[in-house]
Amino acid sequence: MTVKNWRIGLALAAALAGGWGMNAFASGAAGAFHWTSSAPLISPQADPEQKIYGVKDPSVVYVNGKYHVFMTTAGAKGWGLAYTSFDQWSNAAAAKIVPLDKSPMGPGYRAAPQVFYFAPQKKWYLVYQGGDPLYSTSDDISDPMSWSAPKPFFPVIPDIVKPPQGKGWLDFWVICDEKKCYLFNTDDHGRLLRSETDLGRFPHGFRNTVVVMAEKTADLFEASNTYRIANTGTYITLVEAISPQGRYFRIWKSDRLDGKWETYSAAPMNAFASSDNVERLWSEGISHGEMIRTNVDQTMTIDPCRPLEYLFQGNDPAVRVDDYIKLPYRLGIITAKGANPISALCR
């Protein structure tokens, strides 16, 4: 969530509270996920130009011996993008966070990044929202000043996301198979949408924007992220939802990116990660994040034979603010414990 009415989330959580018990996501359910949390690893740093309230919406790749993390900064001047890198998570807190507004990307509203290496073009892509979906490219992920000026994915906004058919779009996510690239997004109103283009035309030619899933607003809210599970024919999609205990992620699976999505956890509400199945959680729920992947390319692949790690945004539940942008978001990692539906696919 970035420039959105965060009071929607508060109202939805309050409305749900009467009908949801504290054990709504009982971690003991068979076929469910179990996690343990790190402490906060990346926090806002002093900025001479503005007060930074929070860092959020992380995207991460590991390449050339370093983690490269892109994030949204929430500051007194609004929303922007920033970058940091480090060799191991124990050094993340000390690593300098570099705002990207001095790069050719320029200043202005930028949020919710996704970074990946598009192998057919041998270029890095940074996908983000600036109202509509935008992208920048770079030949050197380690140089934060190398990102190109923003370009739109769509020359014309699809009718399905404009009133009266839709209510906007946000949190854009690209993943490709052998023939096509797909752009997924949510809309804060219970819909997951998908657009597509041919692999050879990317980043141009996106079309056929359709609704993939539609549920209650609280149950399918925002921040979708989709992955291929290595050495299988399975894909998973995670979407952030809202409960009285805070934000959490639900999980679905499919055998193709343009196929039907089915629930993929035996826990109530097919929960993936929530305040009820994460040990040592310092945050009010699990919010917008990304899996730490086994590769860096456009296939967005994760390895079922390695413990799952998920970099997420969390906030101190004791802090109450009068404006969403002031929430003290920090970044931390949850690590899977024991068997789960994804690890069961390890061969």
Side-chain angles (χ1 to χ4, degrees), residues 6-347:
W6 69 295
R7 292 178 178 83
I8 292 176
L10 295 177
L12 288 167
L16 288 167
W20 288 48
M22 289 301 291
N23 294 318
F25 311 119
S27 61
F33 293 84
H34 315 276
W35 307 86
T36 186
S37 177
S38 72
L41 298 172
I42 300 176
S43 300
Q45 296 177 355
D47 185 326
E49 297 186 4
Q50 64 172 324
K51 179 177 179 56
I52 302 296
Y53 303 112
V55 289
K56 57 195 306 291
D57 310 332
S59 184
V60 55
V61 292
Y62 183 80
V63 63
N64 297 331
K66 285 189 175 183
Y67 291 97
H68 301 264
V69 178
F70 295 80
M71 69 198 85
T72 305
T73 55
K77 291 184 177 181
W79 309 93
L81 295 182
Y83 162 82
T84 189
S85 66
F86 42 85
D87 59 349
Q88 52 191 351
W89 288 105
S90 59
N91 295 326
K96 181 177 176 57
I97 296 175
V98 181
L100 298 181
D101 59 351
K102 300 297 192 296
S103 77
M105 289 176 62
Y109 170 51
R110 313 274 189 266
Q114 181 206 11
V115 67
F116 61 89
Y117 184 71
F118 190 64
Q121 298 174 4
K122 298 182 179 179
K123 280 188 177 294
W124 290 97
Y125 273 76
L126 194 62
V127 177
Y128 50 98
Q129 62 189 49
D132 297 321
L134 303 174
Y135 70 90
S136 295
T137 62
S138 170
D139 294 322
D140 183 1
I141 192 174
S142 66
D143 180 1
M145 296 298 105
S146 67
W147 292 98
S148 66
K151 293 183 179 179
F153 279 106
F154 290 80
V156 177
I157 306 306
D159 289 341
I160 196 171
V161 302
K162 298 186 297 185
Q165 293 186 45
K167 297 182 179 180
W169 53 354
L170 70 158
D171 294 343
F172 304 101
W173 182 272
V174 170
I175 180 172
C176 308
D177 58 22
E178 293 79 7
K179 295 182 178 180
K180 290 185 177 182
C181 291
Y182 298 88
L183 186 148
F184 289 88
N185 70 272
T186 44
D187 69 355
D188 273 1
H189 289 85
R191 299 195 307 175
L192 176 68
L193 294 93
R194 183 192 69 231
S195 308
E196 65 180 59
T197 189
D198 297 332
L199 185 71
R201 295 193 65 193
F202 180 84
H204 309 293
F206 274 102
R207 61 193 186 279
N208 297 342
T209 304
V210 297
V211 175
V212 178
M213 289 192 285
E215 296 194 19
K216 295 178 181 178
T217 294
D219 297 340
L220 198 77
F221 196 53
E222 60 189 21
S224 74
N225 42 125
T226 300
Y227 307 93
R228 181 177 72 91
I229 301 179
N231 302 315
T232 75
T234 299
Y235 293 90
I236 60 167
T237 281
L238 312 175
V239 185
E240 186 178 321
I242 302 172
S243 82
Q245 289 79 41
R247 303 299 184 92
Y248 72 104
F249 274 95
R250 302 173 65 196
I251 182 170
W252 293 262
K253 69 173 181 177
S254 180
D255 60 0
R256 50 189 294 170
L257 288 169
D258 60 352
K260 180 181 179 180
W261 295 94
E262 302 175 348
T263 58
Y264 199 35
S265 170
M269 296 299 293
N270 52 299
F272 175 73
S274 74
S275 59
D276 283 334
N277 70 356
V278 179
E279 297 177 5
R280 302 199 311 238
L281 184 60
W282 45 271
S283 165
E284 186 177 41
I286 302 291
S287 188
H288 196 134
E290 182 174 309
M291 203 82 76
I292 297 175
R293 294 178 276 127
T294 55
N295 72 346
V296 299
D297 72 17
Q298 71 280 354
T299 63
M300 307 302 290
T301 301
I302 60 172
D303 186 350
C305 299
R306 295 174 54 181
L308 302 177
E309 294 180 295
Y310 195 82
L311 181 63
F312 74 102
Q313 68 177 32
N315 65 294
D316 184 344
V319 176
R320 292 290 178 259
V321 297
D322 59 0
D323 189 346
Y324 177 77
I325 201 170
K326 295 180 180 179
L327 281 172
Y329 275 115
R330 308 290 186 264
L331 306 182
I333 288 177
I334 55 173
T335 303
K337 294 179 59 181
N340 59 65
I342 294 175
S343 68
L345 296 178
C346 177
R347 298 291 184 267

